[in-house]
Amino acid sequence: MKIETCFLIVLAFVFTHTRELTQEPGHLKPFGFAKSTQTCDEVDNFPPPDVFFNEYVFKRKPLVMRNAAKLSPAFRTWTDDYFLQVEEPSNHLVSVETEKKEDRSQEVREMPFSEFVSSYNTSGIYMVNPVPPFIRQDIILPCCMQCPFIVEGKLVENIMWFSSGGTKSVVHTDSVENINCLYRGDKQFVMVDPDEYGDKVDIDHPEGSYSGVDVDSVDYTNYPGLADVEFYTINITAGDCLFIPYKWIHQVRSFGNNLAVNIWWNHFIPKDVSLESCNKDCDLQMTLRRVDFRGFDQVMESVDAIKDHVYALVSRLTDCDYNKFLNGLIGEDIKFLKDNNIPYDLLMRKMFQEMDLDEDGYIHEKELDKLEEQSWVRVQQIMEEFSSLIKDAESLDNGEFRFKDEL
Ligand SMILES: *[C@@H]1O[C@H](CO)[C@@H](O)[C@H](O)[C@H]1NC(C)=O
Ligand SMILES: *[C@@H]1O[C@H](CO)[C@@H](O)[C@H](O)[C@H]1NC(C)=O
């Protein structure tokens, strides 16, 4: 074949290829519109803990648990009337988002729970806040995770998602395991298996582990990988729960008056834990009031978690220099650090140098592969020092600082 012919063929391929993308099903349609071909296992009620962990959690497979949320008193008792007559401490506030279509730079307001309940139907506000302490007794810890290795220190956080419906989250991943139970309305989860299509979904905001793609209108010219993805589209209705494995990519929409509670727990539990120790019969008294949520800081206490986090970051960034690294790790919160004169720079440079083995000013995955365990331990310790710096500043500032990928 002559060189020119070859060139023309390549050119023709490039042209047809780019033109085809805009013709592909799903272009300028909602996220997950095309090729929702994957289906997820479904069971009725919570499975026994050994089945749940061996078949789903450890294999990182999602699971729909129909009717499982009906076990909690909340399924019957959580009406707006009940919320309005329950006694709320006078200084109690919840965080409320002001936009139903998630935008991570939107204004978040604080108000008493009762004020939220009185006004959410008409104002379009969206409560995203841990379950208020005075109603925590109404939610039973999912039976399939009533195990000492979870309850004793691995519960991270719970969140109540409450709105009049029509909310849309961004496409994102969580750095923890997640069970979401629905008490009112319908929800649709569009999910992507990160092992199969992780490299096709452009998480272009690594500091918050989310994608900037418009979930109402996916433009394949900006996000070409999405044209190839096969999605899981999972509908759940009031009474159902869904397990979303660690790092699974997901996007959530809600329909109708909507109330869900999710529980996040630490992915990093030893694989040789005894599943024998889990409750065989569900303990209906083990409610959210009786268990302890340790927050996101404790996730970063483990070296494995730090490793995972840094690898994910470095693999997403080309030419990861110090500034990109810092931005990827803490993003816009650098401003908070600067405004509060927190001396983060020296610590963060120390961490960067620990991983920049060849001292060329960039961290590469190959360098991470060569990093000795002791170096990872030091990286983890620096991370911990950094967290405590922030906590000190937070207690002074009284402001909101969180790692952006917490939600
Ligand atoms: C909000 O609307 C729902 C129906 O969608 C209704 O059941 C509920 O009582 C309303 N809440 C308030 C406080 O008006
Ligand atoms: C899932 O819910 C959405 C929104 O209500 C609906 O359009 C869709 O048809 C449902 N899919 C299935 C399989 O029920």
Side-chain angles (χ1 to χ4, degrees), residues 80-81 84 117-121 164 184 256-257:
D80 287 355
D81 284 344
L84 289 172
V117 176
S118 318
S119 60
Y120 77 100
N121 271 344
S164 59
R184 287 189 200 173
N257 191 295

Side-chain angles (χ1 to χ4, degrees), residues 168-237:
K168 298 164 190 172
S169 78
V170 293
V171 175
H172 67 286
T173 65
D174 297 333
S175 55
V176 280
E177 312 278 7
N178 190 355
I179 278 191
N180 196 314
C181 291
L182 191 59
Y183 296 91
R184 287 189 200 173
D186 293 287
K187 265 192 197 299
Q188 184 180 55
F189 292 79
V190 179
M191 311 214 290
V192 179
D193 183 345
D195 291 335
E196 278 193 78
Y197 294 107
D199 54 344
K200 299 278 186 187
V201 184
D202 188 7
I203 302 291
D204 45 7
H205 292 267
E207 79 287 358
S209 308
Y210 74 98
S211 166
V213 67
D214 182 350
V215 298
D216 288 327
S217 175
V218 171
D219 189 338
Y220 287 161
T221 55
N222 295 331
Y223 293 90
L226 292 180
D228 300 330
V229 173
E230 291 183 65
F231 298 91
Y232 290 72
T233 295
I234 297 163
N235 285 2
I236 64 172
T237 190

Side-chain angles (χ1 to χ4, degrees), residues 2 15 30 38 42 65 67 83 122 153 164 166 173 185 215 219 251 269 285 288-290 296 325 330 337 341 355 379:
K2 284 206 308 201
F15 269 114
Q38 306 295 91
E42 281 192 31
M65 294 160 274
N67 301 308
F83 290 152
T122 46
S164 59
T173 65
V215 298
D219 189 338
Q251 193 266 328
I269 50 173
Q285 307 304 318
L288 296 196
R289 178 171 270 182
R290 293 266 180 99
F296 275 90
F325 177 76
I330 43 189
L337 301 176
N341 293 319
M355 294 182 278
V379 169

Side-chain angles (χ1 to χ4, degrees), residues 322 343-353 382:
Y322 174 67
Y344 65 92
D345 199 49
L346 218 64
L347 263 185
M348 285 293 134
R349 281 190 196 275
K350 213 164 88 184
M351 184 192 282
F352 186 86
Q353 281 156 10
I382 296 173

Side-chain angles (χ1 to χ4, degrees), residues 240-264:
D240 298 340
C241 300
L242 170 67
F243 165 59
I244 305 170
Y246 174 76
K247 290 283 162 96
W248 269 58
I249 297 149
H250 57 283
Q251 193 266 328
V252 193
R253 298 186 176 99
S254 71
F255 302 91
N257 191 295
N258 218 272
L259 203 172
V261 173
N262 87 295
I263 290 170
W264 279 306

